[in-house]
């Protein structure tokens, strides 16, 4: 069965909270006060004392390391549970030494209120980091939080870091095959040598299980997808996928990026097909639910 018949908009009852197949009323709420779980005052405190060990988020890092990971699009929850493999990967990213560019004016741009929730227009040269978090709720019960971030890595080659983070705010009762990834316009090229994803899950926060991937399950000219099976024995589930993109050529003036997460409440067979068009169209079926981030439009200076 093609995913074209599976992703048919937002039906979630049998999957999450067992409400006898009645239709869910999902609402999307976009967060303005915080970016990736941080408020502006927290980031300012990190850059005021960059060499101090961080005692609140992750004691393995200095404050400047937390600021650098924030600049790469990582959420506070991800940084809190980051393992050595992830630390090594991100320490090699070019933004790791750009934390000191988070001055007062840049932070003001990053944390400014976003008026357009369907599309966020990002002047990346000015802002350095554009980020949006969306919480999905049903009858005031929080279900899922998606955070989409784009940051500037190299101005000369127009290289950008793109991070999609997801966090289940409810225990998904059905734990089968999930998919998450990025949709782009065709004027973008993904550097798959720089792709990295992490899925973390636990019942007790002192025993966190981690799974890493560095290759997409499927990719095309309009994006890529990671395939993942949720651990059935645990109740807390969160993770991210990081990649780097460049324009397809120097004539491009913008790139659009959008994050998605598809939760299927059935087993996925190897011959089942994944269609990026279905995610874009938001088709309707009760076999899956699709969460999507706002589109971030990156303006590229000619």
């Amino acid at each position: 069965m093609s995913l074209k018949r599976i992703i048919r908009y937002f039906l979630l009852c049998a999957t999450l909270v067992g409400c006898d197949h009645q239709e869910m009323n999902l609402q999307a709420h976009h967060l303005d006060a915080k970016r990736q779980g941080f408020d502006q005052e927290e980031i300012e405190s990190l850059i005021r004392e960059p060499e101090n060990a961080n005692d609140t988020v992750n004691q393995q890092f200095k404050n400047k390391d937390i600021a650098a990971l924030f600049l790469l699009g990582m959420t506070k929850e991800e940084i809190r549970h980051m393992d050595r493999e992830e630390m090594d990967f991100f320490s090699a990213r070019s933004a790791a030494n750009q934390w000191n560019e988070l001055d007062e004016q840049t932070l003001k741009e990053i944390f400014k209120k976003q008026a357009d929730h369907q599309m966020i227009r990002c002047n990346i040269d000015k802002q350095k980091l554009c980020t949006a978090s969306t919480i999905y709720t049903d009858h005031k019960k929080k279900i899922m939080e998606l955070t989409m971030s784009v940051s500037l890595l190299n101005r000369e080659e127009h290289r950008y870091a793109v991070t999609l983070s997801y966090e289940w705010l409810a225990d998904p009762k059905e734990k089968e095959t999930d998919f998450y990834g990025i949709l782009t316009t065709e004027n973008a090229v993904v550097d798959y040598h720089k792709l990295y994803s992490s899925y973390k899950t636990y019942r007790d926060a002192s025993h966190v299980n981690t799974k890493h991937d560095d290759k997409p399950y499927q990719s095309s000219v309009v994006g890529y997808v990671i395939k993942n099976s949720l651990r059935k024995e645990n109740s807390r589930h969160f993770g991210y996928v990081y990649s780097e993109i460049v324009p397809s050529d120097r004539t491009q003036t913008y790139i659009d990026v959008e994050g998605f997460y598809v939760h299927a409440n059935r087993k996925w067979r190897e011959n089942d097909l994944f269609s990026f068009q279905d995610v874009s169209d938001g088709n309707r079926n009760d076999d899956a639910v699709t969460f999507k981030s706002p589109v971030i439009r990156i303006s590229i200076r000619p």
Side-chain angles (χ1 to χ4, degrees), residues 62-87:
K62 294 181 178 180
N63 284 342
K64 66 179 183 180
D65 301 321
I66 304 291
L69 290 166
F70 167 79
L71 191 57
L72 282 169
M74 295 292 102
T75 68
K76 183 186 289 187
E77 184 75 356
E78 290 158 357
I79 298 170
R80 179 175 288 118
H81 296 285
M82 196 164 280
D83 62 20
R84 176 52 57 186
E85 181 178 326
E86 293 168 277
M87 294 176 188

Side-chain angles (χ1 to χ4, degrees), residues 224-290:
Y224 60 86
V225 60
I226 302 295
K227 180 182 177 182
N228 185 49
S229 296
L230 299 179
R231 291 181 68 101
K232 297 181 183 299
E233 68 273 19
N234 291 338
S235 56
R236 288 283 289 110
H237 307 268
F238 59 99
Y240 63 86
V241 58
Y242 169 96
S243 62
E244 297 180 10
I245 62 173
V246 294
S248 57
D249 59 63
R250 291 285 181 172
T251 66
Q252 307 301 336
T253 58
Y254 73 90
I255 295 174
D256 287 348
V257 293
E258 180 182 19
F260 66 88
Y261 187 104
V262 177
H263 181 61
N265 71 354
R266 69 173 179 85
K267 291 187 180 298
W268 199 260
R269 299 185 299 271
E270 288 302 317
N271 60 348
D272 287 343
L273 300 177
F274 188 94
S275 169
F276 290 91
Q277 189 61 44
D278 295 327
V279 178
S280 299
D281 293 343
N283 296 329
R284 181 174 184 143
N285 188 283
D286 60 0
D287 280 343
V289 57
T290 301

Side-chain angles (χ1 to χ4, degrees), residues 40 43-44 47 98-111 126-128:
Q40 185 170 343
I43 302 300
E44 289 173 347
I47 60 180
Q98 296 177 12
W99 60 268
N100 54 359
E101 296 183 14
L102 292 171
D103 54 29
E104 182 178 348
Q105 184 56 41
T106 301
L107 288 175
K108 183 178 179 181
E109 291 291 332
I110 291 173
F111 284 91
K126 184 177 181 181
Q127 293 177 247
K128 301 188 189 304

